[in-house]
Amino acid sequence: MTAKLLRALLFLLTPLWVTTFRDPVQSGRLRLDGLSRGERQLARAGLVTLLLLLGSLLFTEVWRRGDLVALQSDDPVLVPDGLVPVTLVATCLAIALVVWGALDASPLVRIGVAAVYATTVVSLSLPGAIAADGVWILQHGETVLSVAFWTPVAALVLSAGLSLLPGRARGWTRWATPTFRVLTLLALGALAGTHLRMGVAAADLGFQGNVQTWLHTAFSTIDGLLVPLTFIAAVAVVDFATDVSSSIAEPVRSASARWLRVLAAALLGVIAVKLWSALWQHRDYWSTLLANQPLSIVRTMAAVLLIGGLAAYLLRTVPPGPDSAVDEAKERLTLAGAAVLSLVILGQVVLLGFAQLVVKLTRDDWGFVPSRHYPFDTLNDAVPIVASVLAILGGARLVRSGSRRLGPARSRELGTGLLLLGVWNLPAWIDAATDYSWGFSYPVVDLAVTLAVVGWLLVRWRRLDLAEVSLLLAVVVFSWLVISRGDYISYAGGLLGLPVVVVVVFGILYTLASGAGFTTESSPRLPREARTLMFVGYLLLSVTILNWLEVIHEPGLDLGTTAFYFVGLPLAVWLLVRRIVPRQLTAPAPEPDPAPSA
C-alpha cells in the first residue's frame, strides 16, 4: 500500500518538479562562466549582497529596533542608523558591477553608462558633514568624495577612447582595462569609506551627519530604475504560472484512457469550485461592478475577444517553435516591453540628475529648466502608442517574411509575441490617454476563460480525449494563477508572517534561477561578460533602493499593476498559445521498453 501511494505521489509530483524547477533552472539560470577571476568574485559578492537584501525586504521591521536618526532636520521620517552603511556599501558595489560590465562593452555603451552615472548619483559626491578645523576627514572629505565620484567616469571615457585606437596601437593598452577596474573599485570604496568616516567624525563632535539625506536624495532621483524591476517580477509570476499549469496537467495527459470520464468529471469539479470561489464568495464585488461600472465589463470582454481571436488565428496558422526559441523570444519581449514603458520615466530621471550635476558644478539652478519643460504626460501617452503600432507592424513582418539573422523559428516566436503585445496595448494605451477610461476587470477575464472551458466541455463531452482534458485543465489553472497576479504567493507568505513584497522577492529569485538566459548570449556591443555584470549590478541597485524605501516606510513608485496589465497579460496569452497548448496537444513520450532479462 505504501509503495503504491509513493508511486502515485511520484507520478503526480515529478512533472511539477521537472517542468517548474529542474528544466527552467538548467536552461535559464544565471551563469558566471566566461568571467575572469576578478569579475567572477565581484559578481559573487554582488549576488550574496543581493540575497541578503532580499531577505531584508521580508523582515524590514527588524531594522527599526535599533537607533533611529532623522532623514533631515525637522523631518518626521526616521532612518535606522544601521541601514545607512549597509545601503551605502551595497550601492557602491552595484555601481562597481555596472561599471565593470560597461568596461567589457562597446565604446558607445561605456560613454552611455558614464553619462547616466554622472547625472543620476551625483548627490553621493556631496559631503555628509560640514568642514571643521582640526579634523582632516572633515576638512578634505569633499575633495576625496569628488575625486572618488569622478574616477569611474574618467575610467569609462578613457577606456572608450583607447578602444578607438588603431589595432597596432591598441596592443600596449591591454593593461588599461584591469587598471581601470582596480581604480574604479578603489574609488567607490573610498566614496563609501569617506562618507562613513565623516559621519563618525561628525558624531564625535556632537552633531549629526547628512549621508542619509544624500542617499535618499539619490534614490528619490533614480527610483525610476525600479520600473524594469516590476516588469521582471510580473513576467516571472506569469512564467511560473505557465510551468505550474503545464506540470499539473501532465499526469492527466499521460493517464490511461479508461480514466477519461473520471478525469473529465474531476475537471468539472475543479471548475465548480473555482466558479463558487469567484462568484459566490465575491458576490459583493460583482454586484458593485454591475451597478457602478457596467462599461468596464463591456470593455474587458471586447479586449478578451480581440486578443482571443488573434491568439486563435496565430495558433492555427503559425506553427509553434521549440521551447528554446520560446524562451529566447520571451526574454526579448520582456526586456523590450520594460524598456519602452520605462523610457519616459528614465528620461525624467536623467534630466533631474543633470540638474543636480549642474548645481554641483556651477552652483546655479539653470539645469532644472529641461526637467521643468519635460513633456512627461504627453510622452507617457505617445511613446507606448507609437511602440504598439511598431510592434504590430514588426510582428506581422516577422511572421510573414521572417528574419535571416534570427532564423525561422525565432522569427515566428518573436513575431507572434510582438503582434499580441501590440494588439493588446494599442487600444489599452488609447483608452488610458483619454480623459474618460472605461476601466478593466481582471475577474471578468478569468470568468470568461472559465466559462469558455465549460462550454467546450459541454459541446465536446462525447468526443473528449485525454489531450483535450489536460489542455482544458491547464487553461483553467493557468488563468486562475495569472489573474491572481501572485496573490497566492503573498497569501502563502502571509501565513508565515511575510509582507506583500514577497511577490517581488519571489519574482527576482525565480528570474535569477530560470529567466537569466539572455546573459549567456553575446553581441559586439554587449558581450556575455558585460550582460552578466550589468544585470547583477542593476538588480542589486534596484533592490537596494527598494529595501531603503521599504525600511523607512517611504512610498515609492507603485507600478506593479501597470507592469502586469500592459506586459504580463499579453505575454500570458502568448505563452498559452506558444507553450501550454502545444505541450498538451503533443503526444506524451512512450515509456521505454524494459530491458530484456539476462
Side-chain angles (χ1 to χ4, degrees):
M1 182 66 180
T2 304
K4 289 183 178 180
L5 180 61
L6 182 60
R7 284 198 298 270
L9 288 175
L10 288 175
F11 178 73
L12 293 173
L13 297 180
T14 297
L16 183 64
W17 160 253
V18 171
T19 305
T20 307
F21 297 103
R22 192 196 69 182
D23 289 350
V25 169
Q26 286 181 349
S27 61
R29 71 180 185 274
L30 180 71
R31 292 179 171 85
L32 303 183
D33 305 336
L35 300 181
S36 66
R37 181 178 299 179
E39 290 174 332
R40 192 179 299 116
Q41 295 302 323
L42 189 68
R44 286 172 177 168
L47 288 172
V48 170
T49 307
L50 175 63
L51 292 176
L52 292 175
L53 289 175
L54 288 174
S56 169
L57 279 170
L58 301 178
F59 304 98
T60 54
E61 291 305 315
V62 175
W63 286 102
R64 305 186 72 84
R65 295 177 185 174
D67 296 333
L68 301 175
V69 296
L71 183 61
Q72 304 180 63
S73 59
D74 301 326
D75 194 322
V77 178
L78 297 177
V79 180
D81 203 16
L83 179 66
V84 176
V86 172
T87 303
L88 187 60
V89 171
T91 302
C92 290
L93 180 56
I95 294 172
L97 283 162
V98 174
V99 173
W100 275 38
L103 287 171
D104 285 324
S106 68
L108 185 61
V109 173
R110 298 176 203 179
I111 296 298
V113 170
V116 171
Y117 164 78
T119 56
T120 52
V121 292
V122 65
S123 60
L124 294 182
S125 67
L126 301 176
I130 61 174
D133 294 336
V135 182
W136 188 92
I137 194 65
L138 295 181
Q139 284 182 307
H140 305 283
E142 184 173 2
T143 302
V144 176
L145 290 175
S146 294
V147 173
F149 174 79
W150 288 109
T151 297
V153 177
L156 289 168
V157 174
L158 286 174
S159 175
L162 291 174
S163 66
L164 298 177
L165 293 175
R168 291 183 179 180
R170 264 204 316 259
W172 62 272
T173 64
R174 287 180 297 179
W175 54 266
T177 298
T179 302
F180 290 147
R181 292 189 194 281
V182 172
L183 290 176
T184 296
L185 206 56
L186 291 175
L188 292 171
L191 187 71
T194 302
H195 271 301
L196 297 177
R197 186 67 189 90
M198 291 181 74
V200 172
D204 290 341
L205 294 178
F207 58 90
Q208 178 183 314
N210 293 322
V211 62
Q212 71 276 4
T213 303
W214 301 133
L215 268 175
H216 188 70
T217 300
F219 291 166
S220 299
T221 302
I222 63 175
D223 62 353
L225 293 177
L226 293 176
V227 177
L229 189 69
T230 62
F231 289 97
I232 291 174
V235 173
V237 169
V238 171
D239 208 19
F240 183 74
T242 304
D243 293 333
V244 169
S245 57
S246 298
S247 60
I248 288 177
E250 180 66 24
V252 175
R253 191 169 66 103
S254 305
S256 173
R258 67 176 181 270
W259 291 96
L260 174 60
R261 296 302 169 192
V262 175
L263 293 172
L267 174 58
L268 283 176
V270 171
I271 293 174
V273 171
K274 181 180 178 181
L275 289 175
W276 175 80
S277 174
L279 295 176
W280 179 251
Q281 285 197 321
H282 298 88
R283 55 189 181 276
D284 292 339
Y285 167 82
W286 291 105
S287 60
T288 303
L289 184 69
L290 288 169
N292 300 324
Q293 292 182 298
L295 287 180
S296 69
I297 300 178
V298 176
R299 195 262 181 199
T300 303
M301 287 305 303
V304 170
L305 292 174
L306 176 64
I307 199 74
L310 177 60
Y313 172 77
L314 293 175
L315 184 63
R316 294 176 62 88
T317 59
V318 185
D323 280 352
S324 59
V326 175
D327 287 335
E328 184 176 339
K330 179 195 68 181
E331 291 170 356
R332 289 174 181 264
L333 292 169
T334 303
L335 294 176
V340 169
L341 297 183
S342 307
L343 184 62
V344 178
I345 294 178
L346 294 180
Q348 188 178 46
V349 167
V350 171
L351 289 178
L352 288 173
F354 171 75
Q356 294 181 2
L357 181 63
V358 170
V359 170
K360 174 179 172 57
L361 295 177
T362 67
R363 309 296 181 184
D364 198 351
D365 63 353
W366 63 265
F368 285 96
V369 174
S371 62
R372 290 196 194 103
H373 292 85
Y374 184 62
F376 179 84
D377 293 334
T378 302
L379 291 176
N380 203 38
D381 292 334
V383 169
I385 292 174
V386 173
S388 300
V389 173
L390 294 177
I392 294 172
L393 296 176
R397 183 183 181 281
L398 284 174
V399 169
R400 184 180 65 253
S401 306
S403 168
R404 183 177 301 176
R405 183 175 64 87
L406 293 175
R410 289 189 293 180
S411 296
R412 289 197 302 268
E413 300 308 323
L414 189 59
T416 53
L418 287 172
L419 273 174
L420 287 168
L421 278 169
V423 168
W424 176 269
N425 275 277
L426 183 58
W429 280 108
I430 292 175
D431 177 66
T434 59
D435 294 332
Y436 176 77
S437 177
W438 285 32
F440 187 85
S441 172
Y442 290 102
V444 170
V445 177
D446 191 29
L447 180 62
V449 173
T450 305
L451 292 178
V453 171
V454 172
W456 184 278
L457 274 173
L458 295 177
V459 171
R460 295 274 303 171
W461 182 260
R462 294 184 179 276
R463 292 169 290 172
L464 281 175
D465 56 26
L466 285 171
E468 284 181 89
V469 174
S470 67
L471 172 59
L472 295 176
L473 175 61
V475 170
V476 169
V477 175
F478 180 68
S479 172
W480 207 345
L481 294 178
V482 167
I483 298 303
S484 72
R485 292 172 286 171
D487 286 347
Y488 56 93
I489 300 173
S490 59
Y491 176 77
L495 296 178
L496 301 175
L498 301 178
V500 178
V501 77
V502 68
V503 178
V504 177
V505 173
F506 170 82
I508 296 171
L509 290 175
Y510 197 70
T511 299
L512 285 172
S514 63
F518 70 95
T519 59
T520 62
E521 300 174 7
S522 189
S523 67
R525 287 188 177 179
L526 276 178
R528 178 178 180 176
E529 300 86 349
R531 292 170 184 250
T532 302
L533 293 174
M534 295 177 74
F535 181 61
V536 174
Y538 165 73
L539 286 180
L540 178 56
L541 182 59
S542 299
V543 172
T544 301
I545 298 172
L546 183 60
N547 183 67
W548 174 271
L549 297 176
E550 289 288 325
V551 171
I552 69 173
H553 297 168
E554 187 79 1
L557 293 173
D558 185 14
L559 294 168
T561 303
T562 301
F564 189 83
Y565 177 68
F566 289 108
V567 176
L569 272 182
L571 276 183
V573 177
W574 176 73
L575 286 170
L576 178 67
V577 173
R578 310 306 294 176
R579 174 163 285 174
I580 293 179
V581 173
R583 276 181 179 176
Q584 302 310 315
L585 295 184
T586 303
E591 295 290 334
D593 295 332
S597 57

